[in-house]
Amino acid sequence: MKKTLALLALLHSITSFAQEIGDDKWGSWHMYFGTNTISEKLSIHTEAQLRYYENGKNFNQLLLRTGLNYHINRNAMVTGGYAFIDTDPTFEGNENLINNISEHRIFQQLILKNTVGRVLFEHRYRLEQRFIEVENRNSPFYEKSTQHRARYRLQVTVPLNKIFFLNFYDEIFLNLQDNVYGQNRLYGALGAHVFKNTSVQVGYLKNHFPTANFDRLQIGVFYNPDLRRKSKKNAP
């Protein structure tokens, strides 16, 4: 009887933990990405993401990112930029000491592209300097830390016809302090070219952390306008 009660208590603890972090729920990420061309060599990256613990509800994270792209050639680009991330680390019904996490992030990245037949391969190398503040409900102070991280993403785009395409990627996150392995993201999606400079993607993301895995539905809008044309039209 004692062994049975102990086993039931253990199972209850495991179930409660899974519910607290929300890894047994299907969450969703709603995303916008833009590459705004301003000259032959320069463009501005714009990005906004809303992430939820559950599908379209129970807020988890807001991410805003921008950067300046320098196009070395059609297959190589470097970027320097800034991101702000606001995170609610508590799943619904999970009361703990942490109230909110805010992060200011500086990043540098290199993107290289190549094609094999009609298939496009993209390699993204990114370094991040993360300035993190953790708010504590029981203290008037903020816990501050600076962390550094490296990321590598291999993305493959397979055109199906003039409108539809498949998109896949795998991205690994490596911490440059403490435990090296941070997370891994595996993604697959169906995309469609809606207009000349606009496409949408609907896909699935498996987000692996050292102690948990999350399933996320992703809905992304990609808008890449050429602002030079608008400037020329508006010129006197």
Side-chain angles (χ1 to χ4, degrees):
M1 177 63 71
K2 290 182 178 179
K3 291 182 178 180
T4 302
L5 291 175
L7 179 60
L8 289 174
L10 177 61
L11 291 174
H12 176 73
S13 299
I14 294 173
T15 303
S16 299
F17 175 75
Q19 291 175 345
E20 286 176 356
I21 64 174
D23 62 349
D24 60 340
K25 302 291 185 181
W26 271 80
S28 61
W29 290 9
H30 306 259
M31 309 175 298
Y32 155 81
F33 300 93
T35 301
N36 306 272
T37 302
I38 57 176
S39 73
E40 182 180 352
K41 289 291 187 179
L42 298 176
S43 64
I44 298 173
H45 174 80
T46 52
E47 179 180 344
Q49 298 190 33
L50 274 173
R51 299 173 177 176
Y52 296 92
Y53 283 109
E54 299 176 271
N55 192 7
K57 63 179 182 178
N58 197 354
F59 172 78
N60 172 216
Q61 192 173 73
L62 167 69
L63 185 149
L64 302 172
R65 182 159 33 217
T66 188
L68 182 64
N69 303 316
Y70 178 76
H71 300 262
I72 302 171
N73 54 50
R74 61 180 299 178
N75 293 318
M77 179 178 73
V78 292
T79 304
Y82 163 80
F84 172 76
I85 301 94
D86 181 58
T87 303
D88 179 356
T90 59
F91 182 67
E92 186 175 346
N94 177 26
E95 300 296 333
N96 61 19
L97 297 178
I98 297 176
N99 185 36
N100 191 66
I101 301 174
S102 61
E103 178 181 343
H104 299 274
R105 184 184 300 174
I106 299 171
F107 72 95
Q108 308 82 37
Q109 73 180 25
L110 168 67
I111 291 179
L112 300 175
K113 300 179 181 180
N114 68 283
T115 57
V116 177
R118 298 173 63 240
V119 179
L120 173 64
F121 292 83
E122 180 182 286
H123 308 264
R124 188 178 75 183
Y125 307 86
R126 179 181 289 176
L127 290 174
E128 297 176 331
Q129 299 81 51
R130 309 171 64 201
F131 306 94
I132 302 170
E133 293 186 354
V134 180
E135 183 180 352
N136 192 314
R137 288 195 181 107
N138 293 344
S139 172
F141 303 103
Y142 289 82
E143 299 176 11
K144 299 183 179 181
S145 65
T146 300
Q147 299 182 16
H148 301 268
R149 186 166 68 184
R151 299 166 57 170
Y152 168 70
R153 186 186 76 183
L154 172 61
Q155 179 173 269
V156 180
T157 304
V158 183
L160 300 177
N161 53 40
K162 291 183 178 180
I163 297 177
F164 295 102
F165 60 92
L166 298 176
N167 186 258
F168 307 96
Y169 73 69
D170 186 77
E171 182 173 21
I172 188 168
F173 294 63
L174 301 175
N175 300 315
L176 303 183
Q177 67 283 305
D178 304 325
N179 297 324
V180 175
Y181 176 73
Q183 59 178 290
N184 190 83
R185 294 177 182 173
L186 184 63
Y187 171 77
L190 174 65
H193 298 289
V194 181
F195 303 108
K196 183 179 179 180
N197 295 321
T198 306
S199 64
V200 296
Q201 292 185 30
V202 178
Y204 164 74
L205 176 78
K206 187 71 172 181
N207 204 359
H208 295 266
F209 288 89
T211 57
N213 298 313
F214 296 90
D215 299 294
R216 295 294 182 255
L217 171 69
Q218 287 198 350
I219 302 172
V221 177
F222 299 77
Y223 178 54
N224 304 316
D226 189 340
L227 301 181
R228 295 173 296 176
R229 298 173 184 174
K230 294 183 179 181
S231 300
K232 291 178 181 178
K233 289 181 179 179
N234 295 331

